[in-house]
Amino acid sequence: MLSRVANSIYWMSRYIERAENVARFVDVVRHLVLDLPDEAGNQWESLVQAAGAEELFAQQYGEATMANVIRYLTFDRENPDSIASCLWAARENARSVREVISSEMWEQINRAYLMVKDAGAPARVEEDPAAFFSHFKKSCHLFLGITDTTMTHGEGWHFGRAGRLLERADMTSRMIDVKYYVLLPRLDYVGSPYDNLQWAALLKSISAFEMYRKRYQQIIPKNVAEFLILDSHFPRSMHYCVIKAEESIHAITGTPGGTYTNPVEQQIGRLRGEMDYAHIQDVLDMGLHEYIDTFQGRLNDLGQAVFETFFDVSVMPKLPA
């Protein structure tokens, strides 16, 4: 497969996943605002902080109200991580590989794009944000289902799956970090009903609430962290995403599992091995924010290795000495 084609499919999937997760970010804060008292602080401002966009946001919008933050994260094309920007990038990548993807995939990505680009979309969000974001998330799920059922599960499909799962692992880790590091402003909130409300909202935003309750019943922060970080069967947990991304990488290269011939296989195999044998207490002893920060750094390194190994034809992959 041409590196250009593989690169486009990989990023098309990543941008679709990123757009869906931005909708999830908005959803989790919207639920929190409804549940928390006023003294809990401005949760929308915390979301802007989590996005690392305080300065740009302040210049363009001023106060972090619900309407301003939703507009910035959903429709603002000057924000490269807004839903509109991600969908535009996904659509451009899909356009460049139309001969490889199915017509149904191309049609669905256009439906999602036009849904957000529609001039009436901001008014619909303002009128009923829950309905808009729910519809948008279902639109992304539909694209995923169409991809799985209409595209041959060859190299292209595995590049798309690897991209989607690496993006999902990163986004799940960011959502946990937003809850733990950004949204909890005071230490005396830890263990309080407010704290439990936030953890429940986090689970709902990741569509993990029901599956978590089937396993653990009560909302206990340690169990929530274990479920979202180390569970090997829940499809949005960080560990599951790493496992399945590794499977796709080996399917692309043909290298047997448990061995490696390039930096991508080495890095993702090492990360998966560490998560296979990790215990949640090890994560908590290290510090949840510190663990997630390290995990995100390793995902960034892995993404760079994917680029240099599969997409950048000017760089020959080298294994570390």
Side-chain angles (χ1 to χ4, degrees), residues 20-75:
E20 183 197 339
N21 280 282
V22 171
R24 292 179 181 277
F25 273 119
V26 175
D27 230 17
V28 67
V29 174
R30 198 177 55 78
H31 279 107
L32 285 173
V33 170
L34 295 175
D35 291 334
L36 293 175
D38 292 340
E39 58 266 27
N42 185 347
Q43 305 296 320
W44 294 105
E45 189 174 357
S46 301
L47 186 57
V48 175
Q49 293 173 7
E54 301 101 308
E55 188 174 342
L56 178 62
F57 182 88
Q59 291 173 358
Q60 295 184 347
Y61 295 93
E63 187 180 0
T65 62
M66 173 180 169
N68 287 342
V69 175
I70 287 181
R71 193 181 313 132
Y72 176 72
L73 293 177
T74 307
F75 302 110

Side-chain angles (χ1 to χ4, degrees), residues 158 161 242-252 268 272:
H158 280 293
R161 187 171 83 145
V242 171
I243 291 172
K244 296 303 177 184
E246 185 195 27
E247 288 179 3
S248 281
I249 294 297
H250 281 281
I252 292 166
I268 198 168
R272 181 209 170 146

